[in-house]
Amino acid sequence: MHWRIDTQGQTIALASEAGIPEVIYWGPRLPDAEDLSQLALSARHDLTGGMLDKLPSLSLSPEPGRAFQGQPGHILAEADGTPLQPAFHFDRAEASAGRLALISTAPGLVLTHVLQAQPTGTITLQTRLTSDHPIRVQWLAAPVLPAPQSGEMIDVHGKWVGEFHLIRTPWSPGIRAREARTGRSGHEHPPYLILAGEGCTNTRGEALALHYAWSGGHRMVAEELPDGRRQVQFGHPLGAETEPGTRFETAELIACASTTGLNGIATVFQSDLRDRVVQWPDAKRPRPVHYNCWEAVYFDHKLDVLAEFATRAAALGAERFVLDDGWFGKRDDDTTSLGDWTIDRRKWPEGLHPLIRHVHSLGMAFGLWFEPEMVNPDSDLYRAHPDWMLGPVDQTTGRGQMVLNLALPEVRENLFHQVSAVLAEYPIDYIKWDHNRLLPMVDAAQSRGIYALIDRLRAAHPKVEIESCASGGGRIDAGILARTHRVWLSDSNDALERLRMQHDAALFLPSAITGSHVGPRHCHTSGRVLPMAFRAWVAAQRHMGFEMDLRELTEDEALTLARVTAWYKANRTWMMAGTILRLDSDDPAVTAELQLALDAGRFVVFAGQADTSRQSLQRPLRLTGLEPGARYSVSLLNPEDAPRQSRGPNALKSGPLTLTGRMLMTKGILLPVAWPATMWVVEGRKL
């Protein structure tokens, strides 16, 4: 028996003789005429000395009871803890257009693997297990995929204010296991993996990629078996299912393939999140420029000061004012009042109405910060319901707070009514939904509870947009993005840090959901002082905003910020719908990308000088994604940012050039000399 499932860019082919089906091919799309029976025969291995007389199957869920030498795809037990090692047999396939369900059974158990071709070019894979009696699940992998025999692994590591570092690891015999056990998808091990082929760069080569769509942490196993076969598994963390049950399922595993380098992966993943996963309140609405008051006032809320900030922000081009932490309970610092979502009448004697009226009079929408999943011991909610906490009573707090047990229906009910009451009283356009501590334990029921709460709030308030923030980028995955509309990539507003973070995160995240703000002149997380032009252009690469005490701006800084904001607003419609393509810079001091419109008729290049180059002059910057035979007009948008050392006849400083796509992609463009913390912005149009 053989099956295949295809998108425009990839194919997964499967076969089964009697047991759980296995993937016999995953990669770029196969010709429609490919003979699957011959493909299955070609996948059969030989045997040699020291091996069993039959090679155990590397199936969609490798079975621990079938002499499989590697990591199993499921670890089960009876409710009393007795190990359970069923022998599954393939039962049937249920196929429809673009969907395949492969069902295997054992006494009392049904194991279903579902593969779904998505219109965005991804294939989603999910495992479901049902039992006729309660059992325990220690580990359940999403459908297991084979890994290629060449190239390397690229996964993601990070920390607070330092998210999205790409880690490259060569394959070797044994296991590379990464597990996020903090109750979030995590700064440390976000649920992404790229399998890059030999010689793969941003712009050329083959690659495969996976994204596990779950917000409660995950386990990834990339294993080379003693016989040389390789497998990749994703699932919830070990032991995340803490109670016996009769139905279990993994999150969706999102798969894509590329023959055009890492940018082919980025193109598919960006489109998939933006156009399939995120459910926009109004997909046609331009992404509004934010003003967030956090790094201006922190907890010190005064109506006259905030109203002045709103006036200044609107004059600079902001379209949404976000009131951050400090408006509720008795919240004068981060040790109190989480859980008490009522207006602090000491700070807001008339409630938020005066501020919102002023914000609306300026033509801006209003947004508000919440952290519903958390509670402070110093809060009315905690004093009334200490039994609502997740984890032990004597646990270590994080940022002075504890976690509410969202698996409890009464907790979700309380939070729904508290948050919903605020949304019903005030015309709130946007929620910044924060999550500022690690969980004391791994529990999949917590994530299901969070999803249920957000789903209910969205159903009750469908026009409200939600941002996922978790101390910055601690919860960025397709599971939370199916319920939210923006992510706060990092708590760092340092534009040099952001330049790299945004560049690496572009392999997975589109512009439309990636929040990026112009921070204070003196960065609060790094201590660096960077030029306004650089800070503003870095923010304009993504969903733009600013977050500072606007009274600190000099006249020149305000003019620069207003000019870049106006440019962003004039270009955001095509940028947010387009694709971010990373450029292969020959100068390691330059981090560059090209944002290409959906119709490929225009583009913008952002080339950030992050450090001093080793050579005296700029190396040519080769573009990508253009039509080789087409002619393009290219112009440098900001020649005024050239330093005084830039004293030669660089053509782009003087006016536009007309060049073919072939020339731009092979020879490239020569930019002026730049100081560190300079962003060159080059616009291009097809003639």
Side-chain angles (χ1 to χ4, degrees):
M1 293 170 284
H2 317 99
W3 309 269
R4 64 181 286 173
I5 192 158
D6 302 281
T7 67
Q8 59 268 38
Q10 67 175 322
T11 295
I12 296 178
L14 308 100
S16 175
E17 295 182 359
I20 298 171
E22 65 179 303
V23 173
I24 55 174
Y25 175 86
W26 172 39
R29 179 164 178 147
L30 293 172
D32 292 343
E34 193 75 50
D35 186 328
L36 294 186
S37 62
Q38 291 294 298
L39 182 63
L41 286 174
S42 75
R44 289 185 176 178
H45 287 271
D46 200 356
L47 296 173
T48 188
M51 299 180 71
L52 297 176
D53 295 334
K54 182 179 179 181
L55 189 68
S57 172
L58 178 52
S59 71
L60 292 169
S61 190
E63 295 176 85
R66 299 286 186 114
F68 183 72
Q69 290 180 277
Q71 294 294 295
H74 51 265
I75 302 175
L76 313 177
E78 298 288 0
D80 64 3
T82 303
L84 183 61
Q85 294 188 342
F88 284 98
H89 295 274
F90 179 69
D91 182 68
R92 66 190 187 277
E94 296 176 355
S96 56
R99 185 181 186 275
L100 180 64
L102 299 171
I103 301 164
S104 304
T105 61
L109 298 170
V110 177
L111 184 66
T112 303
H113 296 101
V114 179
L115 294 82
Q116 176 82 48
Q118 302 295 344
T120 52
T122 62
I123 296 175
T124 55
L125 306 95
Q126 188 174 29
T127 301
R128 298 168 185 162
L129 176 67
T130 59
S131 172
D132 64 4
H133 64 285
I135 62 171
R136 291 186 179 274
V137 169
Q138 174 74 1
W139 168 244
L140 183 65
V144 174
L145 292 166
Q149 289 291 311
S150 64
E152 62 184 356
M153 295 173 266
I154 304 175
D155 53 27
V156 182
H157 170 71
K159 66 180 183 69
W160 179 69
V161 303
E163 291 86 341
F164 278 90
H165 290 273
L166 301 183
I167 307 299
R168 295 174 179 266
T169 307
W171 283 91
S172 61
I175 297 170
R176 176 166 173 78
R178 305 203 74 191
E179 190 163 15
R181 299 191 63 83
T182 64
R184 309 186 294 197
S185 41
H187 294 85
E188 306 80 11
H189 312 301
Y192 309 102
L193 175 66
I194 296 173
L195 303 169
E198 202 71 45
C200 181
T201 70
N202 287 322
T203 58
R204 61 185 182 275
E206 291 193 0
L208 305 171
L210 297 167
H211 172 184
Y212 191 61
W214 181 248
S215 307
H218 70 283
R219 181 177 184 240
M220 179 204 85
V221 174
E223 181 178 26
E224 181 175 306
L225 301 169
D227 55 43
R229 292 179 296 171
R230 293 171 176 172
Q231 65 161 332
V232 177
Q233 300 185 7
F234 272 91
H236 297 356
L238 285 174
E241 298 292 354
T242 61
E243 299 293 333
T246 58
R247 179 181 173 84
F248 301 89
E249 64 180 25
T250 68
E252 287 185 339
L253 182 61
I254 306 171
C256 71
S258 167
T259 57
T260 56
L262 299 181
N263 282 336
I265 297 298
T267 298
V268 174
F269 272 159
Q270 289 172 31
S271 171
D272 191 58
L273 280 177
R274 183 188 61 228
D275 302 332
R276 179 184 71 88
V277 174
V278 173
Q279 305 299 304
W280 301 99
D282 181 359
K284 295 181 180 179
R285 180 186 183 183
R287 305 300 286 136
V289 177
H290 279 211
Y291 174 73
N292 184 293
C293 69
W294 176 242
E295 292 196 10
V297 298
Y298 294 102
F299 301 100
D300 186 15
H301 288 194
K302 293 182 176 65
L303 175 59
D304 59 340
V305 173
L306 290 166
E308 180 184 357
F309 289 162
T311 300
R312 290 174 180 257
L316 292 166
E319 300 160 301
R320 177 184 279 157
F321 182 100
V322 181
L323 183 65
D324 212 287
D325 194 354
W327 58 268
F328 56 93
K330 297 178 181 177
R331 184 76 163 173
D332 295 328
D333 56 38
D334 60 9
T335 66
T336 182
S337 299
L338 286 178
D340 300 340
W341 301 107
T342 55
I343 306 297
D344 184 349
R345 296 291 172 173
R346 301 170 306 154
K347 300 176 183 178
W348 301 99
E350 298 178 62
L352 301 178
H353 293 293
L355 178 61
I356 295 176
R357 282 195 298 268
H358 181 67
V359 167
H360 285 176
S361 74
L362 298 166
M364 290 194 291
F366 184 79
L368 193 61
W369 182 95
F370 286 89
E371 192 172 3
E373 299 158 66
M374 304 296 166
V375 66
N376 290 118
D378 181 12
S379 67
D380 293 340
L381 182 66
Y382 182 87
R383 286 184 282 271
H385 297 287
D387 55 318
W388 284 4
M389 300 311 103
L390 180 69
V393 174
D394 61 349
Q395 67 184 265
T396 302
T397 57
R399 200 177 182 246
Q401 60 199 54
M402 300 173 77
V403 185
L404 291 168
N405 186 350
L406 271 293
L408 300 176
E410 59 269 30
V411 174
R412 297 196 301 271
E413 187 74 13
N414 176 282
L415 292 174
F416 171 80
H417 286 293
Q418 284 203 72
V419 176
S420 192
V422 177
L423 297 179
E425 180 178 355
Y426 297 102
I428 292 169
D429 167 80
Y430 173 88
I431 291 174
K432 180 180 176 182
W433 185 296
D434 216 337
H435 184 292
N436 276 313
R437 69 150 286 174
L438 312 181
L439 269 61
M441 57 187 291
V442 171
D443 188 349
Q446 179 76 1
S447 293
R448 289 191 286 266
I450 295 160
Y451 289 170
L453 174 60
I454 298 176
D455 288 346
R456 187 178 175 192
L457 284 166
R458 286 199 60 205
H461 307 278
K463 295 183 179 181
V464 175
E465 186 178 318
I466 302 175
E467 174 184 273
S468 172
C469 176
S471 298
R475 186 162 64 184
I476 299 178
D477 60 84
I480 201 69
L481 279 166
R483 296 155 175 89
T484 58
H485 314 94
R486 188 183 198 249
V487 297
W488 186 229
L489 188 63
S490 177
D491 278 346
S492 173
N493 279 324
D494 182 309
L496 278 173
E497 295 284 348
R498 279 273 179 165
L499 178 69
R500 181 209 55 78
M501 272 188 262
Q502 292 175 180
H503 187 69
D504 289 340
L507 289 173
F508 313 102
L509 307 179
S511 285
I513 70 159
T514 307
S516 187
H517 293 177
V518 184
R521 182 186 303 117
H522 189 274
C523 180
H524 291 191
T525 56
S526 70
R528 265 196 284 248
V529 176
L530 297 167
M532 172 55 76
F534 184 67
R535 287 147 57 201
W537 282 121
V538 168
Q541 288 183 283
R542 302 295 185 265
H543 182 194
M544 186 180 187
F546 18 102
E547 183 171 341
M548 69 184 83
D549 185 337
L550 295 170
R551 297 169 299 188
E552 79 173 23
L553 296 176
T554 65
E555 183 177 352
D556 284 347
E557 287 174 332
L559 287 171
T560 298
L561 180 54
R563 177 171 58 85
V564 175
T565 302
W567 179 90
Y568 167 82
K569 291 165 74 171
N571 289 274
R572 61 184 164 188
T573 299
W574 71 263
M575 287 171 61
M576 296 299 107
T579 303
I580 307 164
L581 301 173
R582 292 161 31 119
L583 297 180
D584 289 323
S585 173
D586 293 319
D587 185 346
V590 175
T591 299
E593 68 182 30
L594 181 148
Q595 296 197 24
L596 184 66
L598 192 61
D599 65 2
R602 64 190 301 182
F603 64 84
V604 60
V605 172
F606 294 98
Q609 185 81 29
D611 204 345
T612 302
S613 297
R614 282 181 285 182
Q615 72 285 346
S616 298
L617 299 176
Q618 304 295 91
R619 297 190 189 278
L621 182 64
R622 290 170 286 113
L623 309 189
T624 192
L626 307 181
E627 185 180 331
R631 295 167 66 245
Y632 294 86
S633 173
V634 293
S635 56
L636 181 64
L637 188 62
N638 56 330
E640 68 277 4
D641 291 338
R644 62 179 179 270
Q645 282 89 343
S646 175
R647 56 190 180 89
N650 177 269
L652 283 174
K653 288 195 296 184
S654 303
L657 294 170
T658 299
L659 298 166
T660 64
R662 177 75 69 194
M663 173 64 183
L664 291 168
M665 292 189 292
T666 55
K667 180 66 175 177
I669 55 175
L670 283 173
L671 292 165
V673 169
W675 280 343
T678 298
M679 177 76 82
W680 293 128
V681 184
V682 177
E683 294 183 308
R685 288 180 180 271
K686 187 161 68 172
L687 300 175

